Amino acid sequence: MSEYPVTVENLAKSFYDESRGEVRAVDEISFECRPGQIFGLLGANGAGKTTTLRLLATILAPTGGTARLMGHDIREEPEEVRRNLGFYSASTALYPRLTARETLHFFARINHYPDRDRESRVSYLIDRFGLGSYVNARIDKLSSGMKQKVSIARTVVHDPPVLIFDEPTVGLDVLNALEMQQVLGEFRTEGKTIIFSTHIMSEAERLCDRIAIIHSGKILACDTLESLREATGCRYLEDIFVKYVRGEHVRPTVAGG
Amino acid sequence: MSLNWRDIATFYRYETRAALRERSIVINTLLIPLFMYPFLLWSMFTGITYVVGQVEGLVSRVVILDHTAGHEDFKSLVAKDDKQKLQPPVSKTQALEQIQAGELDALIELSSVAAGPKSPPGNFSARIYFDRSKDRSDQARQRLEESLGHYRSQWLENEAARLQVTGKQWQGFLIERRNVASGREMGRFLLSTMLPLFLVIMIAVGCFYPAVDSTAGERERSTWETSMSTAASRQSILTAKYLHVATLGSVAGLINLVAMLLSAKAVLAPLIQQIGEKFEFRIPFAAVPVMAVGTVLLALFVAAVMMLLASFARSFREGQSMITPFYMAIMLPVVFVRTDSEFTVLQALIPIVNVTKLFAQAINGELRLVTTGLTLLSELVCILVVLRLAGMVIRFEDFMTGSYHGSFGKFVRERILNQKRTKPVGEVR
């Protein structure tokens, strides 16, 4: 088993587009994520963040390289990878006709959480996210804030060691976005490995232990915020990001561990 | 192929639970099969009985123009019939005008036929004038014919007696019609004409909405990727969806079958009894397993095709329009196949047609091993072909992720028939 919960090695993904021909959405990227840390993928729209995360979640298959989650190869053992993973994104909506409770039970069961512990796990999450008063309401009757809570709860209901959050605060109001950040912080405290993508610099600054700047499918830098500051001589992440994306000269950062 | 039956069961339960909370699915899969066709059947027969009763309840207004001598008894016979009322005599022209205006229902004109060596004295001919475009006038014609028939028989008997000829001598031959079919056989005949058609339609209706809902509907609701990001394999998820759609199709068919049988017994039999017939609506015991297997196989076939077509759609509406041509194609054989004609080996090889004919054969208690075996085998082969095709399609990542733009036809042309342009980017599991 790999030393790190997540190891990415030369991961690549190309698409065939009728007008543009072959498009390299992810171009041989490599990085590792440590337990109890939030790893941030920072990039503009179309930089390759979502494709990278979908590759790790085995929704897409790589065209080059590979990655291992909790020692399972995304090419060889996709079901095992997904079992050890909680994946949250804008494109993974909740089933509208199930109740919140049914949703949690369903995801616990389908992700192979032990049957004997399922009821207590669901009850715990209902309490933790304050779902009690509307736990038996159908999802399509819930407000967007409530749906967000149920969605986070379903992502972690099988207690996966690795969590992926793809731009989780997009479309949320300020309070809900702050709540989301707080929840991510709590998961970190619990020892989860979190991969988090965003294009909002302040979020990355506040949350991430390590940041990878991704642009045109390539990782331009990957390190702690302090190291990135040191390498660029810039204080703010926004300036650091611009410096890397524009290709201005910076000291090399330590990629990986 | 990575199938996990525990995951399949979990997804199957979820799909079914979610489907049964969707009004359009409940209506189309459960309520319509249960109530609509039995209700239509009841409405149709009640309507017919009502209309017939209305017409029969009317007294026919008739005029007799008698140009003969010695046939006054016919007038008396008509006058005694409380369903016919003799109108005051008018001229033929007036009577015809009155018939056209709906003021009179029929006119009968009796004329003498000159007596000769071959015809008895007092012989006569009769001509009835009526308006066929009016039920009431046609009814009057029937009643006059009936009265005339009775009078003619009586008159011939009297003439024969006068000439000392016995009935056997003057009646050269008699035409008698006798239906040798029992009430049970007549019931089977009626059921075999109706049930197979309704059954096929109901299976298609039962599969239609769940097939769209579990594929295009999932994409529209953005829950497709939610399902694909679970620990279940893609094959397990799709198998669960497929079994779910096929189950609802089978359930719709079987519910309709039971509902039609019960309503035939409870509604149709009494209505038919009112017109003097006695039908027994029962299907042979041996038909039940054959029909059940046929229903399930047909549902598996229809579900596979519908899901394959609908899974290229991105919205429910698009899914519906992608399935509709296939849905209509199913209806064609159902409409044109005669269930009472011979079930040939060739027909046993044609999907949909074969099941329709098999159902009719089963209901009539005329199952033959060859056609039954060929039908089931043909259905099985069709299912396997469609599933094989589906297996080829789901290897393509852009299909699975919903990023492919186009229909099933376009996909087959581009990816399966012309493989050099594009190939699977990677097998998704």
Side-chain angles (χ1 to χ4, degrees), chain A residues 13 54 61 76 82 95 97, chain B residues 213 225 227 230 397 429:
Chain A
K13 178 68 182 177
R54 293 175 91 203
E76 305 299 325
R82 293 197 291 270
Y95 302 125
R97 296 179 207 138
Chain B
D213 185 67
E225 197 158 304
S227 300
T230 62
E397 187 179 85
R429 291 200 284 166

Side-chain angles (χ1 to χ4, degrees), chain B residues 328-342:
Chain B
M328 300 309 286
I330 291 177
M331 299 296 161
L332 282 179
V334 170
V335 172
F336 292 112
V337 167
R338 280 184 61 89
T339 50
D340 57 345
S341 62
E342 195 197 348

